[in-house]
Each structure stands twice: as structure tokens, then as C-alpha cells.
């Protein structure tokens, strides 16, 4: 059976084949019960329990495949979608064919303008007309064109050069006066003797689709992914509280919509169950204790379906 027959009737879902987004994406698919086996060296995997085919692509290529309608759904960085749209030079107000559905909450980074720590350039204005190296050429050209227009130097064009990797070495090697590159922790930048002087785009991993796709599985997968993300961000907090203190306790744990309250056998007491942001749970437990809550339990959430 040829590849076309394998893919017929399946939703095509593009995922990063390598890089900083890949493992978190695979963990997300696992949480959504998307079962597949990827054979060695193959960039295609058929999902066993749903009519879906996973296409493993470089994150930078995914917006192109989505935009051209070659695949229905994909996970990539917001920076890559912005670069794709900048390459197309869409007229102002015209929507991109790559539609963001969901912020996935991982892969956070910034596309920043960086210069040598001990160099002459202190602001982005100082780089106008100079050499700037990047792998995000369209975004960089768009960014510096705006600067040139703003500062009345439109005739003095900044020279944007493409480099696919090791962008941070360009200044030290004399290839560039500044660079535009992705920054996560900033350690690589500091090790190369660079400092950030401006931010072009703030990015995170996002779920995207082709704007015109009508495949109903898009909504199903979006719902599953949203459930997994919610489960990762929240825990279930359960506790007992005197009914007289319920209003105060409920303001501490309002839940996604409202806390679940159940009467206890002991007169005047209720049991409360509520979703709480994981990062706030320690403070919430302290506050509940202060208002008289007892038997406070915190439970992990494997998955969820919430509005």
C-alpha cells in the first residue's frame, strides 16, 4: 500500500521532529491518548486509536505546511508562525492562513536583538545601516524597516544576513555588529559576551491549524490538549470546613466555576472540593488553615474537561 492510501481519510498533524519543543510535544500527545509508534528514520507515524497521521517536521517548516493546507493541524513556536507571516508580507488586516488555536504553555523564549557587551551599540537605533545576522530574516527585516522609518533613515538600510546556526558566534567572528536570535535562559548569550537590547517577538509553543480546515478531529484534539494543559496547571484541593466559614473558604478556593460542597455527617460541617492552580497551592493551604479548614488534601489531576 502506498503512502497516499495510508494517509487517506486521516487528519494530518505536524509535530516537531527535533529541538526544544519535541519532548514536551510528545508528552502532550501521550496525555491525549494519541497512540503511535514511530519507526526509525521515518517522519510519518500512523496513530493506532484515531484516524490521524503524525508528520514529523522541523518546527520552522510547520507553518508553511499548515498555511498551504498540506497538513490540518500542527504544534510549533509562535516565533515560527510570525516569521512565516513576515515572509509572506501579508497586507495589514489580512488574516494569516495559519490560525493559532491554543497557547500550550511550554517552550517559552524571546526573539531578541543582541549586541556585544563591550561594543559601541547600546540601542537598536545604533544598528541601523550595520550588519545583523539571524535565522529569522523576514522578522528582522520587518523590525529594522520599522526602525529606519521611525528614525527617518529609510535610505540607510540595515544589512540582514542569514545564518542557520551558531548565530551567537557572528559578532565575535566579525561577521556582524549585532544578531537577532532566540533567548531562553540567556546563558548562551552571556557566555558569548552578548547582551539583549530589544525584543522582536515573545514566543511559546502553540497549537495551530489551517484556517479553512473542516476536519472535525481538530476540535476533538483541541479539547483533549486543553484538558491535559489544565491538568498540568491545576491540582484538586479537598478539605473540611465549618459551614459558618464556608463563604470565606470558598473565596480562597473559588475553583474553575465554583467549589463542590457536600454535607458531612457531623452537624455544621461540609466537605469542599475545588481546583486550585498548582503554583498557588502552598499559599492556599496556609490560608485555609487560618480560617479553620481541616483534613486538607491535595490530589493530582491526570486529565480534565473544563470550560
Amino acid at each position: 500500500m502506498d503512502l497516499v492510501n495510508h494517509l487517506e481519510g486521516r487528519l494530518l498533524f505536524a509535530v516537531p521532529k527535533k529541538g526544544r519543543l519535541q519532548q514536551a510535544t510528545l508528552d502532550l500527545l501521550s496525555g491525549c491518548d494519541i497512540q503511535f509508534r514511530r519507526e526509525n528514520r521515518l517522519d510519518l507515524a500512523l496513530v493506532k486509536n484515531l484516524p490521524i497521521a503524525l508528520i514529523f517536521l522541523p518546527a520552522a517548516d510547520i507553518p508553511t505546511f499548515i498555511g498551504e493546507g498540506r497538513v490540518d493541524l500542527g504544534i510549533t513556536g509562535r516565533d515560527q508562525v510570525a516569521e512565516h507571516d513576515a515572509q509572506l508580507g501579508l497586507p495589514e488586516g489580512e488574516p494569516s492562513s495559519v490560525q493559532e488555536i491554543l497557547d500550550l504553555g511550554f517552550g517559552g523564549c524571546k526573539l531578541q536583538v543582541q549586541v556585544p557587551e563591550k561594543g559601541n551599540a547600546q540601542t537598536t537605533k545604533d544598528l541601523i545601516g550595520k550588519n545583523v545576522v539571524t535565522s529569522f530574516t523576514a522578522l528582522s527585516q520587518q523590525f529594522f524597516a520599522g526602525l529606519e522609518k521611525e528614525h527617518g533613515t529609510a535610505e540607510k538600510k540595515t544589512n540582514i544576513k542569514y545564518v542557520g546556526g551558531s548565530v551567537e558566534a557572528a559578532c565575535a567572528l566579525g561577521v556582524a555588529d549585532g544578531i537577532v536570535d532566540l533567548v531562553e535562559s540567556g546563558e548562551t548569550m552571556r557566555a558569548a559576551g552578548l547582551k539583549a537590547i530589544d525584543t522582536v517577538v515573545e514566543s511559546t509553543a502553540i497549537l495551530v491549524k489551517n484556517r479553512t480546515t473542516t476536519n472535525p478531529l481538530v476540535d476533538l484534539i483541541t479539547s483533549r490538549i486543553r484538558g491535559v494543559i489544565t491538568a498540568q496547571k491545576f491540582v484538586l484541593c479537598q478539605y473540611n470546613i465549618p459551614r459558618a466559614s464556608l463563604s470565606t473558604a470558598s473565596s480562597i478556593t473559588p475553583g474553575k466555576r465554583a467549589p463542590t460542597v457536600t454535607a458531612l455527617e457531623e452537624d455544621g460541617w461540609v466537605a469542599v472540593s475545588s481546583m486550585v492552580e498548582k503554583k498557588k497551592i502552598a499559599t492556599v493551604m496556609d490560608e485555609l488553615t487560618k480560617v479553620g479548614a481541616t483534613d486538607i488534601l491535595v490530589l493530582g489531576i491526570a486529565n480534565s474537561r473544563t470550560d
Side-chain angles (χ1 to χ4, degrees):
M1 187 179 290
D2 61 26
L3 181 60
V4 173
N5 289 332
H6 271 305
L7 298 183
E8 188 175 353
R10 290 179 179 265
L11 176 135
L12 303 186
F13 190 169
V15 295
K17 68 183 294 184
K18 58 183 179 180
R20 61 190 182 87
L21 302 182
Q22 189 196 43
Q23 189 55 54
T25 297
L26 295 180
D27 292 343
L28 192 61
L29 297 182
S30 176
C32 293
D33 193 32
I34 294 176
Q35 302 171 16
F36 68 95
R37 179 181 175 182
R38 183 186 179 190
E39 299 293 341
N40 242 3
R41 295 180 172 274
L42 281 183
D43 289 336
L44 171 69
L46 302 182
V47 174
K48 301 174 185 176
N49 56 335
L50 286 167
I52 296 173
L54 299 179
I55 316 296
F56 291 84
L57 297 169
D61 293 343
I62 289 175
T64 299
F65 282 82
I66 294 283
E68 294 183 358
R70 307 298 180 183
V71 295
D72 303 286
L73 198 62
I75 291 176
T76 187
R78 186 175 285 116
D79 55 303
Q80 301 294 353
V81 174
E83 175 70 7
H84 166 267
D85 290 350
Q87 287 173 351
L88 294 179
L90 295 173
E92 189 173 350
E94 182 177 325
S96 170
S97 56
V98 182
Q99 182 179 353
E100 179 176 336
I101 308 174
L102 209 55
D103 187 327
L104 302 178
F106 62 83
C109 62
K110 295 178 180 180
L111 183 64
Q112 293 188 315
V113 183
Q114 302 161 38
V115 294
E117 184 77 44
K118 298 178 181 178
N120 295 324
Q122 298 300 314
T123 69
T124 46
K125 182 182 177 182
D126 298 331
L127 288 176
I128 293 175
K130 303 289 182 64
N131 293 321
V132 175
V133 160
T134 184
S135 57
F136 291 83
T137 53
L139 273 176
S140 299
Q141 285 167 352
Q142 189 180 80
F143 178 80
F144 278 98
L147 278 178
E148 291 157 5
K149 184 177 180 181
E150 178 185 348
H151 295 288
T153 54
E155 72 287 346
K156 190 179 180 183
K157 297 293 183 184
T158 308
N159 184 22
I160 309 294
K161 299 180 180 179
Y162 174 81
V163 171
S166 301
V167 178
E168 70 278 357
C171 293
L173 296 174
V175 177
D177 301 292
I179 68 170
V180 177
D181 200 16
L182 289 177
V183 176
E184 292 180 69
S185 67
E187 291 181 12
T188 302
M189 176 182 72
R190 288 189 290 272
L194 300 171
K195 64 179 180 182
I197 57 173
D198 211 338
T199 297
V200 178
V201 170
E202 292 197 17
S203 182
T204 186
I206 55 177
L207 179 69
V208 294
K209 70 172 184 176
N210 179 275
R211 187 171 291 277
T212 61
T213 188
T214 57
N215 194 314
L217 278 174
V218 169
D219 291 335
L220 174 69
I221 298 305
T222 300
S223 178
R224 287 193 181 189
I225 289 177
R226 187 178 283 112
V228 173
I229 292 172
T230 299
Q232 291 171 346
K233 290 181 179 178
F234 288 84
V235 291
L236 190 65
C237 182
Q238 297 179 334
Y239 57 91
N240 298 331
I241 190 85
R243 185 174 288 277
S245 302
L246 176 59
S247 177
T248 304
S250 295
S251 68
I252 298 170
T253 59
K256 291 283 284 183
R257 176 171 290 132
T260 301
V261 180
T262 309
L264 292 178
E265 289 295 324
E266 186 174 348
D267 194 38
W269 282 76
V270 294
V272 180
S273 180
S274 183
M275 291 176 68
V276 175
E277 282 189 74
K278 191 178 293 185
K279 63 184 179 182
K280 296 179 179 178
I281 189 60
T283 302
V284 166
M285 292 175 74
D286 294 339
E287 292 177 358
L288 287 173
T289 301
K290 288 177 184 177
V291 300
T294 64
D295 306 312
I296 304 172
L297 300 176
V298 177
L299 308 175
I301 302 172
N303 209 325
S304 71
R305 286 291 195 278
T306 60
D307 294 334

